[in-house]
Amino acid sequence: MPPCTLQQVWPAPLDVSPEQMALAALRHEIDVLDDQLLALFERRLAIAARVGKAKDAPSGPHLKLRPDREQSVLDRVLAQAEPDNREAVASLWRQIVGWGLARQGRMP
């Protein structure tokens, strides 16, 4: 993401401190990231729904719940996470996987 100028984030009136302008720029960066995260999460949910349909294919049946697959994905993600972030990443990832499973449909 190219950096934005402070004037793009917060046109500076005369009574705004440099600290307030810097904070506004940081909040803008978070807003941009939130938009990207939302788009990626919704894309992941759509793909999870397609996975669910593939699991229901006539050549199935395929298990909807695959703890081994989910654990390997979690292990892979945690290996890439910063050590101080691993607990938060694990918690978030479990939520993401849970919503993906919900998109795949009811468990038999």
Side-chain angles (χ1 to χ4, degrees):
M1 173 182 79
C4 60
T5 66
L6 291 178
Q7 286 74 28
Q8 289 172 315
V9 176
W10 187 342
L14 297 176
D15 62 342
V16 176
S17 72
E19 291 82 11
Q20 288 172 315
M21 289 175 54
L23 182 58
L26 291 170
R27 287 178 173 157
H28 175 74
E29 278 189 66
I30 287 175
D31 291 345
V32 169
L33 288 172
D34 287 344
D35 293 344
Q36 293 171 349
L37 287 168
L38 175 61
L40 288 171
F41 181 60
E42 288 184 337
R43 185 172 155 202
R44 191 183 195 287
L45 288 174
I47 293 169
R50 290 173 46 202
V51 167
K53 288 179 182 161
K55 287 179 178 179
D56 290 338
S59 62
H62 303 279
L63 293 176
K64 297 249 186 211
L65 186 60
R66 294 271 317 274
D68 58 325
R69 163 77 177 144
E70 290 150 26
Q71 187 62 51
S72 70
V73 171
L74 178 60
D75 291 344
R76 180 179 58 81
V77 170
L78 289 177
Q80 298 175 62
E82 296 290 329
D84 289 346
N85 297 335
R86 286 190 180 134
E87 184 179 354
V89 168
S91 176
L92 176 62
W93 210 255
R94 285 185 184 98
Q95 287 291 316
I96 289 170
V97 168
W99 283 108
L101 286 169
R103 277 295 165 100
Q104 290 183 25
R106 296 175 101 49
M107 302 297 159

